[in-house]
Amino acid sequence: MSAKIIDGTAIAAEIREEIRQQVAEMQSRWDRVPGLATVLVGDNTASATYVRMKQKACAEAGIQSFGHELPADASQEEVVGLVSELNANPEVNGILVQLPLPRHLDEEAVLNAISIEKDVDGFHPVNIGRLAMKGRDPLFIPCTPYGVIVLLQKAGIKLSGADAVILGRSNIVGLPVAMLLQKENATVTICHSRTRDLADHLRRADIVIAAIGQTEMVTGDMLKPGAAVIDVGINRKDDPLARRGYRLVGDVDYESAREVAGAITPVPGGVGPMTIAMLLQNTLRAAQIAFDGPR
Ligand code: GUN
């Protein structure tokens, strides 16, 4: 069997086009467009690339973006001070502080400082708390986990009653994905570096979300035939034939997994483009609430 490929690039492009149209309608109705402020602290190359991609995506959707860059030795007061200014700026509907922050900064305090109406990353503790609780909904769902759920839904994967295994328990992906899948009535197991027999859990999973940052650690023989596999990993693998000397691969060994899985996301071109699409979606929602009140 060869798996159905879940094309994140195509699905993200559709979502971005819908957002572009809604932004254009907003422009004609309110004479205003959504605004996203990005905050990049320090000179992490990958973070700088991600922020640039997010700003470019905003421009393509007609969303205004305000880029703020602070030096690697910026103080806690400077970062929180900037967040407070952005909270007060009516042109800014969403605030994105790119993570990770330099180690001397208190990430929790910075994320706490973002007004929850502008928390388009969904990382504020109130948003995460609402995500965790039964019968409550967050104002914003964190972008990568949101993208994972949309990919599963668009691929027609049944979530209710499914056995889902999440590999990884990060605040950005593993934990919120687990909470979202639980909200969708999946039976959720979170596996991590101390899990005793990972393959044993994986072989029972109808849905596998790999977000552990280990190059191609999930192989086809660990999967249940027909499983839906969403690979969130982005790892560099040495490849002398590649222009840069490496290529990007996921946490899943794509070639062996696609022979067993029922559906699978490629890396790149799977979850990555969805993170950006869902950020635009959250920014649009923040602006809709700001301009028109909650729906
Ligand atoms: N670092 C890695 N992923 C993300 C993300 O989705 N949002 C932010 N702000 N930082 C990240």
mmCIF file with all atom_site columns, all heavy atoms in Angstrom, residues 39 47 50 54 95-100 111 121 123 142-145 172-173 275 279, ligand 1:
data_model
loop_
_atom_site.group_PDB
_atom_site.id
_atom_site.type_symbol
_atom_site.label_atom_id
_atom_site.label_alt_id
_atom_site.label_comp_id
_atom_site.label_asym_id
_atom_site.label_entity_id
_atom_site.label_seq_id
_atom_site.pdbx_PDB_ins_code
_atom_site.Cartn_x
_atom_site.Cartn_y
_atom_site.Cartn_z
_atom_site.occupancy
_atom_site.B_iso_or_equiv
_atom_site.pdbx_formal_charge
_atom_site.auth_seq_id
_atom_site.auth_comp_id
_atom_site.auth_asym_id
_atom_site.auth_atom_id
_atom_site.pdbx_PDB_model_num
ATOM   1   N N   . VAL A 1 39  ? 7.844  40.238 16.786 1.00 0.00 ? 39  VAL A N   1
ATOM   2   C CA  . VAL A 1 39  ? 8.947  40.642 17.661 1.00 0.00 ? 39  VAL A CA  1
ATOM   3   C C   . VAL A 1 39  ? 10.021 39.555 17.582 1.00 0.00 ? 39  VAL A C   1
ATOM   4   O O   . VAL A 1 39  ? 9.757  38.392 17.911 1.00 0.00 ? 39  VAL A O   1
ATOM   5   C CB  . VAL A 1 39  ? 8.465  40.816 19.125 1.00 0.00 ? 39  VAL A CB  1
ATOM   6   C CG1 . VAL A 1 39  ? 9.635  41.188 20.039 1.00 0.00 ? 39  VAL A CG1 1
ATOM   7   C CG2 . VAL A 1 39  ? 7.354  41.861 19.199 1.00 0.00 ? 39  VAL A CG2 1
ATOM   8   N N   . SER A 1 47  ? 14.938 31.529 13.311 1.00 0.00 ? 47  SER A N   1
ATOM   9   C CA  . SER A 1 47  ? 13.841 32.407 13.757 1.00 0.00 ? 47  SER A CA  1
ATOM   10  C C   . SER A 1 47  ? 13.683 33.578 12.799 1.00 0.00 ? 47  SER A C   1
ATOM   11  O O   . SER A 1 47  ? 12.557 33.955 12.447 1.00 0.00 ? 47  SER A O   1
ATOM   12  C CB  . SER A 1 47  ? 14.110 32.943 15.167 1.00 0.00 ? 47  SER A CB  1
ATOM   13  O OG  . SER A 1 47  ? 14.023 31.912 16.107 1.00 0.00 ? 47  SER A OG  1
ATOM   14  N N   . TYR A 1 50  ? 11.893 32.382 9.747  1.00 0.00 ? 50  TYR A N   1
ATOM   15  C CA  . TYR A 1 50  ? 10.455 32.161 9.988  1.00 0.00 ? 50  TYR A CA  1
ATOM   16  C C   . TYR A 1 50  ? 9.709  33.492 10.037 1.00 0.00 ? 50  TYR A C   1
ATOM   17  O O   . TYR A 1 50  ? 8.628  33.630 9.462  1.00 0.00 ? 50  TYR A O   1
ATOM   18  C CB  . TYR A 1 50  ? 10.218 31.393 11.298 1.00 0.00 ? 50  TYR A CB  1
ATOM   19  C CG  . TYR A 1 50  ? 10.690 29.961 11.271 1.00 0.00 ? 50  TYR A CG  1
ATOM   20  C CD1 . TYR A 1 50  ? 11.346 29.396 12.364 1.00 0.00 ? 50  TYR A CD1 1
ATOM   21  C CD2 . TYR A 1 50  ? 10.460 29.152 10.161 1.00 0.00 ? 50  TYR A CD2 1
ATOM   22  C CE1 . TYR A 1 50  ? 11.782 28.073 12.340 1.00 0.00 ? 50  TYR A CE1 1
ATOM   23  C CE2 . TYR A 1 50  ? 10.893 27.836 10.129 1.00 0.00 ? 50  TYR A CE2 1
ATOM   24  C CZ  . TYR A 1 50  ? 11.555 27.303 11.223 1.00 0.00 ? 50  TYR A CZ  1
ATOM   25  O OH  . TYR A 1 50  ? 11.970 25.998 11.200 1.00 0.00 ? 50  TYR A OH  1
ATOM   26  N N   . LYS A 1 54  ? 6.678  34.839 7.634  1.00 0.00 ? 54  LYS A N   1
ATOM   27  C CA  . LYS A 1 54  ? 5.372  35.260 8.171  1.00 0.00 ? 54  LYS A CA  1
ATOM   28  C C   . LYS A 1 54  ? 5.019  36.651 7.658  1.00 0.00 ? 54  LYS A C   1
ATOM   29  O O   . LYS A 1 54  ? 3.876  36.923 7.274  1.00 0.00 ? 54  LYS A O   1
ATOM   30  C CB  . LYS A 1 54  ? 5.406  35.225 9.712  1.00 0.00 ? 54  LYS A CB  1
ATOM   31  C CG  . LYS A 1 54  ? 5.478  33.798 10.262 1.00 0.00 ? 54  LYS A CG  1
ATOM   32  C CD  . LYS A 1 54  ? 5.750  33.719 11.760 1.00 0.00 ? 54  LYS A CD  1
ATOM   33  C CE  . LYS A 1 54  ? 5.918  32.259 12.185 1.00 0.00 ? 54  LYS A CE  1
ATOM   34  N NZ  . LYS A 1 54  ? 6.197  32.073 13.618 1.00 0.00 ? 54  LYS A NZ  1
ATOM   35  N N   . ILE A 1 95  ? -0.050 40.008 18.048 1.00 0.00 ? 95  ILE A N   1
ATOM   36  C CA  . ILE A 1 95  ? 1.358  40.162 18.438 1.00 0.00 ? 95  ILE A CA  1
ATOM   37  C C   . ILE A 1 95  ? 1.998  38.781 18.438 1.00 0.00 ? 95  ILE A C   1
ATOM   38  O O   . ILE A 1 95  ? 1.493  37.853 19.093 1.00 0.00 ? 95  ILE A O   1
ATOM   39  C CB  . ILE A 1 95  ? 1.486  40.778 19.853 1.00 0.00 ? 95  ILE A CB  1
ATOM   40  C CG1 . ILE A 1 95  ? 0.794  42.141 19.903 1.00 0.00 ? 95  ILE A CG1 1
ATOM   41  C CG2 . ILE A 1 95  ? 2.963  40.891 20.267 1.00 0.00 ? 95  ILE A CG2 1
ATOM   42  C CD1 . ILE A 1 95  ? 0.676  42.731 21.304 1.00 0.00 ? 95  ILE A CD1 1
ATOM   43  N N   . LEU A 1 96  ? 3.112  38.658 17.724 1.00 0.00 ? 96  LEU A N   1
ATOM   44  C CA  . LEU A 1 96  ? 3.813  37.388 17.678 1.00 0.00 ? 96  LEU A CA  1
ATOM   45  C C   . LEU A 1 96  ? 5.250  37.592 18.175 1.00 0.00 ? 96  LEU A C   1
ATOM   46  O O   . LEU A 1 96  ? 5.994  38.340 17.551 1.00 0.00 ? 96  LEU A O   1
ATOM   47  C CB  . LEU A 1 96  ? 3.829  36.869 16.238 1.00 0.00 ? 96  LEU A CB  1
ATOM   48  C CG  . LEU A 1 96  ? 4.598  35.581 16.036 1.00 0.00 ? 96  LEU A CG  1
ATOM   49  C CD1 . LEU A 1 96  ? 3.833  34.682 15.115 1.00 0.00 ? 96  LEU A CD1 1
ATOM   50  C CD2 . LEU A 1 96  ? 5.988  35.815 15.493 1.00 0.00 ? 96  LEU A CD2 1
ATOM   51  N N   . VAL A 1 97  ? 5.563  37.001 19.310 1.00 0.00 ? 97  VAL A N   1
ATOM   52  C CA  . VAL A 1 97  ? 6.940  37.043 19.814 1.00 0.00 ? 97  VAL A CA  1
ATOM   53  C C   . VAL A 1 97  ? 7.577  35.720 19.391 1.00 0.00 ? 97  VAL A C   1
ATOM   54  O O   . VAL A 1 97  ? 7.161  34.652 19.865 1.00 0.00 ? 97  VAL A O   1
ATOM   55  C CB  . VAL A 1 97  ? 6.982  37.208 21.349 1.00 0.00 ? 97  VAL A CB  1
ATOM   56  C CG1 . VAL A 1 97  ? 8.424  37.160 21.855 1.00 0.00 ? 97  VAL A CG1 1
ATOM   57  C CG2 . VAL A 1 97  ? 6.299  38.497 21.771 1.00 0.00 ? 97  VAL A CG2 1
ATOM   58  N N   . GLN A 1 98  ? 8.536  35.788 18.482 1.00 0.00 ? 98  GLN A N   1
ATOM   59  C CA  . GLN A 1 98  ? 9.111  34.552 17.963 1.00 0.00 ? 98  GLN A CA  1
ATOM   60  C C   . GLN A 1 98  ? 9.910  33.843 19.064 1.00 0.00 ? 98  GLN A C   1
ATOM   61  O O   . GLN A 1 98  ? 10.714 34.458 19.763 1.00 0.00 ? 98  GLN A O   1
ATOM   62  C CB  . GLN A 1 98  ? 10.009 34.858 16.746 1.00 0.00 ? 98  GLN A CB  1
ATOM   63  C CG  . GLN A 1 98  ? 10.535 33.636 16.025 1.00 0.00 ? 98  GLN A CG  1
ATOM   64  C CD  . GLN A 1 98  ? 9.445  32.801 15.333 1.00 0.00 ? 98  GLN A CD  1
ATOM   65  O OE1 . GLN A 1 98  ? 8.396  33.312 14.949 1.00 0.00 ? 98  GLN A OE1 1
ATOM   66  N NE2 . GLN A 1 98  ? 9.690  31.517 15.171 1.00 0.00 ? 98  GLN A NE2 1
ATOM   67  N N   . LEU A 1 99  ? 9.683  32.547 19.202 1.00 0.00 ? 99  LEU A N   1
ATOM   68  C CA  . LEU A 1 99  ? 10.395 31.725 20.186 1.00 0.00 ? 99  LEU A CA  1
ATOM   69  C C   . LEU A 1 99  ? 11.396 30.843 19.457 1.00 0.00 ? 99  LEU A C   1
ATOM   70  O O   . LEU A 1 99  ? 11.184 30.523 18.288 1.00 0.00 ? 99  LEU A O   1
ATOM   71  C CB  . LEU A 1 99  ? 9.386  30.853 20.948 1.00 0.00 ? 99  LEU A CB  1
ATOM   72  C CG  . LEU A 1 99  ? 8.276  31.628 21.682 1.00 0.00 ? 99  LEU A CG  1
ATOM   73  C CD1 . LEU A 1 99  ? 7.324  30.640 22.342 1.00 0.00 ? 99  LEU A CD1 1
ATOM   74  C CD2 . LEU A 1 99  ? 8.852  32.584 22.710 1.00 0.00 ? 99  LEU A CD2 1
ATOM   75  N N   . PRO A 1 100 ? 12.482 30.420 20.066 1.00 0.00 ? 100 PRO A N   1
ATOM   76  C CA  . PRO A 1 100 ? 12.834 30.673 21.470 1.00 0.00 ? 100 PRO A CA  1
ATOM   77  C C   . PRO A 1 100 ? 13.408 32.068 21.675 1.00 0.00 ? 100 PRO A C   1
ATOM   78  O O   . PRO A 1 100 ? 13.995 32.638 20.750 1.00 0.00 ? 100 PRO A O   1
ATOM   79  C CB  . PRO A 1 100 ? 13.902 29.608 21.727 1.00 0.00 ? 100 PRO A CB  1
ATOM   80  C CG  . PRO A 1 100 ? 14.543 29.364 20.399 1.00 0.00 ? 100 PRO A CG  1
ATOM   81  C CD  . PRO A 1 100 ? 13.458 29.558 19.384 1.00 0.00 ? 100 PRO A CD  1
ATOM   82  N N   . LEU A 1 111 ? 5.246  36.180 27.471 1.00 0.00 ? 111 LEU A N   1
ATOM   83  C CA  . LEU A 1 111 ? 3.991  35.699 26.875 1.00 0.00 ? 111 LEU A CA  1
ATOM   84  C C   . LEU A 1 111 ? 2.784  36.170 27.687 1.00 0.00 ? 111 LEU A C   1
ATOM   85  O O   . LEU A 1 111 ? 1.731  36.492 27.144 1.00 0.00 ? 111 LEU A O   1
ATOM   86  C CB  . LEU A 1 111 ? 4.003  34.171 26.743 1.00 0.00 ? 111 LEU A CB  1
ATOM   87  C CG  . LEU A 1 111 ? 5.083  33.602 25.810 1.00 0.00 ? 111 LEU A CG  1
ATOM   88  C CD1 . LEU A 1 111 ? 5.007  32.081 25.766 1.00 0.00 ? 111 LEU A CD1 1
ATOM   89  C CD2 . LEU A 1 111 ? 4.962  34.164 24.387 1.00 0.00 ? 111 LEU A CD2 1
ATOM   90  N N   . ASP A 1 121 ? -0.690 33.775 18.583 1.00 0.00 ? 121 ASP A N   1
ATOM   91  C CA  . ASP A 1 121 ? 0.057  32.516 18.682 1.00 0.00 ? 121 ASP A CA  1
ATOM   92  C C   . ASP A 1 121 ? -0.648 31.528 19.621 1.00 0.00 ? 121 ASP A C   1
ATOM   93  O O   . ASP A 1 121 ? -0.305 30.351 19.658 1.00 0.00 ? 121 ASP A O   1
ATOM   94  C CB  . ASP A 1 121 ? 1.452  32.793 19.262 1.00 0.00 ? 121 ASP A CB  1
ATOM   95  C CG  . ASP A 1 121 ? 2.550  32.620 18.235 1.00 0.00 ? 121 ASP A CG  1
ATOM   96  O OD1 . ASP A 1 121 ? 2.383  31.793 17.324 1.00 0.00 ? 121 ASP A OD1 1
ATOM   97  O OD2 . ASP A 1 121 ? 3.581  33.301 18.369 1.00 0.00 ? 121 ASP A OD2 1
ATOM   98  N N   . PHE A 1 123 ? -0.381 31.331 22.814 1.00 0.00 ? 123 PHE A N   1
ATOM   99  C CA  . PHE A 1 123 ? 0.520  30.825 23.865 1.00 0.00 ? 123 PHE A CA  1
ATOM   100 C C   . PHE A 1 123 ? 0.262  31.425 25.237 1.00 0.00 ? 123 PHE A C   1
ATOM   101 O O   . PHE A 1 123 ? 0.886  31.048 26.214 1.00 0.00 ? 123 PHE A O   1
ATOM   102 C CB  . PHE A 1 123 ? 1.993  31.121 23.499 1.00 0.00 ? 123 PHE A CB  1
ATOM   103 C CG  . PHE A 1 123 ? 2.502  30.359 22.303 1.00 0.00 ? 123 PHE A CG  1
ATOM   104 C CD1 . PHE A 1 123 ? 3.605  30.813 21.596 1.00 0.00 ? 123 PHE A CD1 1
ATOM   105 C CD2 . PHE A 1 123 ? 1.904  29.172 21.894 1.00 0.00 ? 123 PHE A CD2 1
ATOM   106 C CE1 . PHE A 1 123 ? 4.095  30.114 20.491 1.00 0.00 ? 123 PHE A CE1 1
ATOM   107 C CE2 . PHE A 1 123 ? 2.381  28.476 20.785 1.00 0.00 ? 123 PHE A CE2 1
ATOM   108 C CZ  . PHE A 1 123 ? 3.481  28.949 20.088 1.00 0.00 ? 123 PHE A CZ  1
ATOM   109 N N   . PRO A 1 142 ? -3.136 27.676 19.104 1.00 0.00 ? 142 PRO A N   1
ATOM   110 C CA  . PRO A 1 142 ? -1.755 27.795 18.622 1.00 0.00 ? 142 PRO A CA  1
ATOM   111 C C   . PRO A 1 142 ? -1.619 27.305 17.170 1.00 0.00 ? 142 PRO A C   1
ATOM   112 O O   . PRO A 1 142 ? -2.249 26.317 16.771 1.00 0.00 ? 142 PRO A O   1
ATOM   113 C CB  . PRO A 1 142 ? -0.969 26.913 19.594 1.00 0.00 ? 142 PRO A CB  1
ATOM   114 C CG  . PRO A 1 142 ? -1.779 26.929 20.849 1.00 0.00 ? 142 PRO A CG  1
ATOM   115 C CD  . PRO A 1 142 ? -3.220 26.981 20.398 1.00 0.00 ? 142 PRO A CD  1
ATOM   116 N N   . CYS A 1 143 ? -0.808 28.026 16.390 1.00 0.00 ? 143 CYS A N   1
ATOM   117 C CA  . CYS A 1 143 ? -0.844 27.887 14.924 1.00 0.00 ? 143 CYS A CA  1
ATOM   118 C C   . CYS A 1 143 ? -0.465 26.497 14.407 1.00 0.00 ? 143 CYS A C   1
ATOM   119 O O   . CYS A 1 143 ? -1.159 25.951 13.537 1.00 0.00 ? 143 CYS A O   1
ATOM   120 C CB  . CYS A 1 143 ? 0.057  28.934 14.287 1.00 0.00 ? 143 CYS A CB  1
ATOM   121 S SG  . CYS A 1 143 ? -0.329 30.594 14.832 1.00 0.00 ? 143 CYS A SG  1
ATOM   122 N N   . THR A 1 144 ? 0.638  25.930 14.884 1.00 0.00 ? 144 THR A N   1
ATOM   123 C CA  . THR A 1 144 ? 1.046  24.622 14.350 1.00 0.00 ? 144 THR A CA  1
ATOM   124 C C   . THR A 1 144 ? 0.027  23.540 14.734 1.00 0.00 ? 144 THR A C   1
ATOM   125 O O   . THR A 1 144 ? -0.419 22.779 13.861 1.00 0.00 ? 144 THR A O   1
ATOM   126 C CB  . THR A 1 144 ? 2.479  24.267 14.800 1.00 0.00 ? 144 THR A CB  1
ATOM   127 O OG1 . THR A 1 144 ? 3.353  25.312 14.366 1.00 0.00 ? 144 THR A OG1 1
ATOM   128 C CG2 . THR A 1 144 ? 2.954  22.948 14.213 1.00 0.00 ? 144 THR A CG2 1
ATOM   129 N N   . PRO A 1 145 ? -0.390 23.459 16.009 1.00 0.00 ? 145 PRO A N   1
ATOM   130 C CA  . PRO A 1 145 ? -1.420 22.471 16.355 1.00 0.00 ? 145 PRO A CA  1
ATOM   131 C C   . PRO A 1 145 ? -2.718 22.670 15.566 1.00 0.00 ? 145 PRO A C   1
ATOM   132 O O   . PRO A 1 145 ? -3.334 21.700 15.118 1.00 0.00 ? 145 PRO A O   1
ATOM   133 C CB  . PRO A 1 145 ? -1.646 22.726 17.851 1.00 0.00 ? 145 PRO A CB  1
ATOM   134 C CG  . PRO A 1 145 ? -0.342 23.290 18.332 1.00 0.00 ? 145 PRO A CG  1
ATOM   135 C CD  . PRO A 1 145 ? 0.170  24.128 17.209 1.00 0.00 ? 145 PRO A CD  1
ATOM   136 N N   . ILE A 1 172 ? 4.756  24.268 22.473 1.00 0.00 ? 172 ILE A N   1
ATOM   137 C CA  . ILE A 1 172 ? 4.349  24.852 21.184 1.00 0.00 ? 172 ILE A CA  1
ATOM   138 C C   . ILE A 1 172 ? 3.554  23.863 20.337 1.00 0.00 ? 172 ILE A C   1
ATOM   139 O O   . ILE A 1 172 ? 2.639  24.233 19.621 1.00 0.00 ? 172 ILE A O   1
ATOM   140 C CB  . ILE A 1 172 ? 5.594  25.346 20.402 1.00 0.00 ? 172 ILE A CB  1
ATOM   141 C CG1 . ILE A 1 172 ? 6.242  26.517 21.148 1.00 0.00 ? 172 ILE A CG1 1
ATOM   142 C CG2 . ILE A 1 172 ? 5.253  25.747 18.980 1.00 0.00 ? 172 ILE A CG2 1
ATOM   143 C CD1 . ILE A 1 172 ? 7.454  27.113 20.437 1.00 0.00 ? 172 ILE A CD1 1
ATOM   144 N N   . VAL A 1 173 ? 3.912  22.573 20.410 1.00 0.00 ? 173 VAL A N   1
ATOM   145 C CA  . VAL A 1 173 ? 3.232  21.602 19.538 1.00 0.00 ? 173 VAL A CA  1
ATOM   146 C C   . VAL A 1 173 ? 2.602  20.433 20.319 1.00 0.00 ? 173 VAL A C   1
ATOM   147 O O   . VAL A 1 173 ? 1.382  20.282 20.352 1.00 0.00 ? 173 VAL A O   1
ATOM   148 C CB  . VAL A 1 173 ? 4.178  21.040 18.444 1.00 0.00 ? 173 VAL A CB  1
ATOM   149 C CG1 . VAL A 1 173 ? 3.393  20.128 17.501 1.00 0.00 ? 173 VAL A CG1 1
ATOM   150 C CG2 . VAL A 1 173 ? 4.844  22.150 17.643 1.00 0.00 ? 173 VAL A CG2 1
ATOM   151 N N   . THR A 1 275 ? 1.366  26.262 9.415  1.00 0.00 ? 275 THR A N   1
ATOM   152 C CA  . THR A 1 275 ? 1.608  27.131 10.579 1.00 0.00 ? 275 THR A CA  1
ATOM   153 C C   . THR A 1 275 ? 1.384  28.583 10.174 1.00 0.00 ? 275 THR A C   1
ATOM   154 O O   . THR A 1 275 ? 0.727  29.355 10.880 1.00 0.00 ? 275 THR A O   1
ATOM   155 C CB  . THR A 1 275 ? 3.057  26.931 11.089 1.00 0.00 ? 275 THR A CB  1
ATOM   156 O OG1 . THR A 1 275 ? 3.191  25.587 11.530 1.00 0.00 ? 275 THR A OG1 1
ATOM   157 C CG2 . THR A 1 275 ? 3.382  27.873 12.241 1.00 0.00 ? 275 THR A CG2 1
ATOM   158 N N   . LEU A 1 279 ? -1.615 31.231 11.294 1.00 0.00 ? 279 LEU A N   1
ATOM   159 C CA  . LEU A 1 279 ? -1.274 32.524 11.905 1.00 0.00 ? 279 LEU A CA  1
ATOM   160 C C   . LEU A 1 279 ? -2.078 33.648 11.228 1.00 0.00 ? 279 LEU A C   1
ATOM   161 O O   . LEU A 1 279 ? -2.620 34.536 11.903 1.00 0.00 ? 279 LEU A O   1
ATOM   162 C CB  . LEU A 1 279 ? 0.235  32.788 11.770 1.00 0.00 ? 279 LEU A CB  1
ATOM   163 C CG  . LEU A 1 279 ? 0.674  34.182 12.197 1.00 0.00 ? 279 LEU A CG  1
ATOM   164 C CD1 . LEU A 1 279 ? 0.496  34.372 13.699 1.00 0.00 ? 279 LEU A CD1 1
ATOM   165 C CD2 . LEU A 1 279 ? 2.129  34.434 11.800 1.00 0.00 ? 279 LEU A CD2 1
HETATM 166 N N1  . GUN B 2 .   ? 8.875  29.044 17.297 1.00 0.00 ? 1   GUN B N1  1
HETATM 167 C C1  . GUN B 2 .   ? 8.582  27.871 16.698 1.00 0.00 ? 1   GUN B C1  1
HETATM 168 N N2  . GUN B 2 .   ? 7.287  27.819 16.321 1.00 0.00 ? 1   GUN B N2  1
HETATM 169 C C2  . GUN B 2 .   ? 6.745  29.000 16.715 1.00 0.00 ? 1   GUN B C2  1
HETATM 170 C C3  . GUN B 2 .   ? 5.448  29.543 16.598 1.00 0.00 ? 1   GUN B C3  1
HETATM 171 O O1  . GUN B 2 .   ? 4.490  28.927 16.094 1.00 0.00 ? 1   GUN B O1  1
HETATM 172 N N3  . GUN B 2 .   ? 5.280  30.790 17.108 1.00 0.00 ? 1   GUN B N3  1
HETATM 173 C C4  . GUN B 2 .   ? 6.312  31.484 17.695 1.00 0.00 ? 1   GUN B C4  1
HETATM 174 N N4  . GUN B 2 .   ? 6.048  32.699 18.176 1.00 0.00 ? 1   GUN B N4  1
HETATM 175 N N5  . GUN B 2 .   ? 7.523  30.995 17.827 1.00 0.00 ? 1   GUN B N5  1
HETATM 176 C C5  . GUN B 2 .   ? 7.736  29.764 17.325 1.00 0.00 ? 1   GUN B C5  1
#
